[in-house]
């Protein structure tokens, strides 16, 4: 006769976190309440950027990492978009350059002053226009300078040369439905995407071809996400048909995109 264990076995059962003191936190930030599945923040070795509520357009805060505590409501913002900002991403090659995507269908690239903002920043360095619907995903290329990926609700992925404001590649036939997220691999030769049709795809942007696809990676109707790991595997989060949270690790090179 077997007895059910009352206590769940876990290596972390007796591990407790220590709350950070208030003076080491960021307080009074009015984080955006726009209906979009995003982290609404981005960080690099110098700055923290947070998308915030704004009237008459979109805006985000850029705070030096050392500026913790209560944030003044009058603190200057980056506020050049005419619609709410949906995603932001710091350039991996320059800690003072950040890109933003917005409901106004544009992508803007900003140069942040070395010591942070002292007044509102309204003039972007570059404006990238190519999407017909709101832009919800921004991702800098991990190895090539001035190369930026954007994806919009028009189901189109665009690869930009930020230095010349030109489209390098337009991928408009690989996603039949809304794109949830995009992630580059370690050298930027491929990217993976999670789509509303429940498929995870690996795409070669230079050739514009589908390298691998996993249908029904998670069978739930709620949004899922996929990221490339350093060893080339793909890690996904999603939900089952019963809305139970799921995590999965996939190997694209084994029997057509199977569980690792």
């Amino acid at each position: 006769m077997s007895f059910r264990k009352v206590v769940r076995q876990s290596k972390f059962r007796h591990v407790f976190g220590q709350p950070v003191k208030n003076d080491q936190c960021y307080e009074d930030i009015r984080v955006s309440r726009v209906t979009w599945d995003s982290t609404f923040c981005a960080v690099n070795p110098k700055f923290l950027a947070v998308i915030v509520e704004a009237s008459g357009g979109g805006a985000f805060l850029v705070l030096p990492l050392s500026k913790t505590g209560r944030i003044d409501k009058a603190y200057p913002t980056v506020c050049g978009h005419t619609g709410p900002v949906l995603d932001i991403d710091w350039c991996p090659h320059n800690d003072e350059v950040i890109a933003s995507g917005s409901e106004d269908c544009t992508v803007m690239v900003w140069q942040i002053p070395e010591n942070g903002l002292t007044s509102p920043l309204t003039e972007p360095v570059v404006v990238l226009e190519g999407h017909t619907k709101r832009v919800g995903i921004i991702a800098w290329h991990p190895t090539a300078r001035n190369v930026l990926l954007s994806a919009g609700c028009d189901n189109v992925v665009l690869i930009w040369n930020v230095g010349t404001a030109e489209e390098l590649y337009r991928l408009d036939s690989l996603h039949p439905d809304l794109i949830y997220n995009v992630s580059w691999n370690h050298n930027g030769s491929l990217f993976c995407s999670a789509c509303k049709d429940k498929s995870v795809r690996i795409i070669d942007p230079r050739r514009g071809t589908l390298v691998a696809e996993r249908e029904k990676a998670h069978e739930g109707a709620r949004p899922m996400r996929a990221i490339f790991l350093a060893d080339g595997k793909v890690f996904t989060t999603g939900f089952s048909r019963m809305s139970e949270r799921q995590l999965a690790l996939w190997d694209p090179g084994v029997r057509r995109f199977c569980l690792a």
Side-chain angles (χ1 to χ4, degrees):
M1 183 176 180
S2 62
F3 294 92
R4 184 180 178 185
K5 293 181 179 179
V6 177
V7 179
R8 180 174 62 87
Q9 296 298 316
S10 172
K11 295 180 180 179
F12 306 101
R13 189 154 54 92
H14 301 294
V15 176
F16 300 95
Q18 183 68 34
V20 178
K21 295 180 181 180
N22 288 343
D23 60 355
Q24 295 177 300
C25 298
Y26 299 90
E27 292 189 287
D28 271 7
I29 296 178
R30 296 172 293 119
V31 180
S32 174
R33 291 177 291 180
V34 67
T35 55
W36 185 253
D37 187 24
S38 171
T39 58
F40 294 107
C41 65
V43 68
N44 70 10
K46 291 184 67 174
F47 298 108
L48 167 70
V50 184
I51 302 173
V52 294
E53 285 288 309
S55 58
F60 58 94
L61 284 171
V62 175
L63 303 168
L65 294 185
S66 59
K67 186 176 175 56
T68 54
R70 191 175 299 276
I71 306 301
D72 193 330
K73 291 182 179 179
Y75 194 88
T77 60
V78 180
C79 51
H81 285 286
T82 58
V85 177
L86 301 180
D87 196 21
I88 48 179
D89 193 32
W90 288 103
C91 176
H93 308 291
N94 187 333
D95 288 340
E96 294 162 11
V97 172
I98 187 170
S100 58
S102 168
E103 281 193 2
D104 63 12
C105 306
T106 66
V107 176
M108 295 186 180
V109 179
W110 309 86
Q111 178 76 43
I112 305 300
E114 183 178 356
N115 297 318
L117 297 177
T118 56
S119 60
L121 183 59
T122 59
E123 293 296 327
V125 177
V126 180
V127 179
L128 306 174
E129 297 178 311
H131 290 281
T132 58
K133 293 185 179 179
R134 60 182 181 170
V135 183
I137 298 169
I138 298 293
W140 288 95
H141 194 281
T143 57
R145 286 181 175 271
N146 293 331
V147 176
L148 178 68
L149 178 152
S150 65
C153 292
D154 50 7
N155 308 336
V156 175
V157 175
L158 296 178
I159 312 293
W160 301 92
N161 181 337
V162 174
T164 60
E166 295 176 334
E167 286 183 21
L168 295 177
Y169 306 102
R170 172 178 286 263
L171 309 174
D172 55 8
S173 60
L174 298 176
H175 297 91
D177 213 329
L178 180 67
I179 304 167
Y180 284 141
N181 89 296
V182 168
S183 173
W184 290 102
N185 67 350
H186 72 287
N187 62 10
S189 61
L190 304 170
F191 69 83
C192 68
S193 65
C195 184
K196 193 175 181 180
D197 67 354
K198 303 180 184 178
S199 290
V200 174
R201 296 173 173 86
I202 295 180
I203 295 168
D204 183 336
R206 294 170 182 81
R207 297 180 179 178
T209 56
L210 189 64
V211 176
E213 180 178 6
R214 177 67 189 192
E215 297 179 357
K216 294 184 178 179
H218 298 278
E219 295 191 350
R222 299 172 69 180
M224 64 179 183
R225 301 180 80 84
I227 61 169
F228 255 119
L229 303 183
D231 62 359
K233 291 183 174 64
V234 175
F235 181 75
T236 63
T237 63
F239 295 86
S240 68
R241 288 181 179 178
M242 304 301 292
S243 292
E244 297 170 322
R245 192 177 297 277
Q246 294 180 326
L247 309 174
L249 183 63
W250 307 90
D251 189 342
V254 178
R255 289 182 299 169
R256 290 195 63 215
F257 216 155
C258 293
L259 281 169

